[in-house]
Amino acid sequence: MKKIIFTLLTAVLITLTFNQTRAAFPVAQKSNETSKVINTSATPIAVEEKVVSSETAKENLKSDTKKKVKKEKKSFIERVMAAGGKSQLIALLLAFFVGGLGIHRFYLGYTWQGVVQLLTLGGCGIWSLIDFIRIILGDLQPKNGPYDKTL
């Protein structure tokens, strides 16, 4: 019993003594800008100005980051749309394997028809069979234009 109490007290003492974490990998510690500013011997007005400027800088950084993310997202979507032609073979394979779920309709850009096919299980299989034949014949085209790659 004495050994357990001694071990616990030693662990608590060591924990209280060392304030920093001892990780096996480097850990970046955040510096609190406001605490540094408040601990200085500057006048209260100067401290308030530094805190406000620090907050303004953080807001500017956040807005710049948001703008960069939006720009990158837009450029990514444009690249995908530019290179994103539809393949007749992929549409045919989708219609064959998961035609009852209407996945080929989603792929071709017909979202509402895909939802209806999903809910009706491809019109009990009849609608998906008709779509499979139409894709083979090239009659069922993507919504935004012809196939990029045909059979």
Side-chain angles (χ1 to χ4, degrees):
M1 184 68 165
K2 289 181 182 179
K3 287 183 180 181
I4 295 173
I5 294 173
F6 178 73
T7 307
L8 288 173
L9 287 174
T10 307
V12 169
L13 182 64
I14 290 172
T15 306
L16 293 175
T17 305
F18 296 109
N19 195 12
Q20 298 177 354
T21 60
R22 305 283 186 218
F25 51 89
V27 178
Q29 294 186 358
K30 295 180 181 178
S31 63
N32 192 353
E33 187 69 30
T34 56
S35 65
K36 288 181 182 177
V37 172
I38 292 173
N39 291 337
T40 60
S41 62
T43 62
I45 297 170
V47 170
E48 186 176 318
E49 288 175 3
K50 287 183 182 179
V51 171
V52 170
S53 66
S54 153
E55 291 173 359
T56 312
K58 286 180 185 177
E59 290 298 322
N60 289 341
L61 182 64
K62 284 181 183 179
S63 65
D64 289 343
T65 306
K66 286 180 183 178
K67 287 178 185 176
K68 287 179 184 177
V69 168
K70 279 185 180 180
K71 183 178 178 185
E72 186 63 32
K73 186 187 265 187
K74 222 180 236 186
S75 67
F76 175 73
I77 291 172
E78 289 171 356
R79 284 183 292 181
V80 169
M81 294 301 277
K86 305 294 183 189
S87 171
Q88 188 177 6
L89 178 64
I90 292 176
L92 183 67
L93 291 173
L94 286 172
F96 182 75
F97 288 111
V98 286
L101 300 176
I103 305 300
H104 61 284
R105 286 285 186 163
F106 288 108
Y107 175 73
L108 293 174
Y110 301 105
T111 308
W112 282 108
Q113 291 174 357
V115 170
V116 172
Q117 271 193 331
L118 183 65
L119 295 175
T120 63
L121 295 177
C124 296
I126 297 170
W127 192 3
S128 57
L129 179 65
I130 292 170
D131 281 352
F132 181 73
I133 295 169
R134 287 182 64 200
I135 291 172
I136 289 174
L137 296 175
D139 186 38
L140 183 58
Q141 297 280 329
K143 189 173 186 177
N144 59 354
Y147 288 110
D148 204 27
K149 296 178 183 177
T150 58
L151 295 175

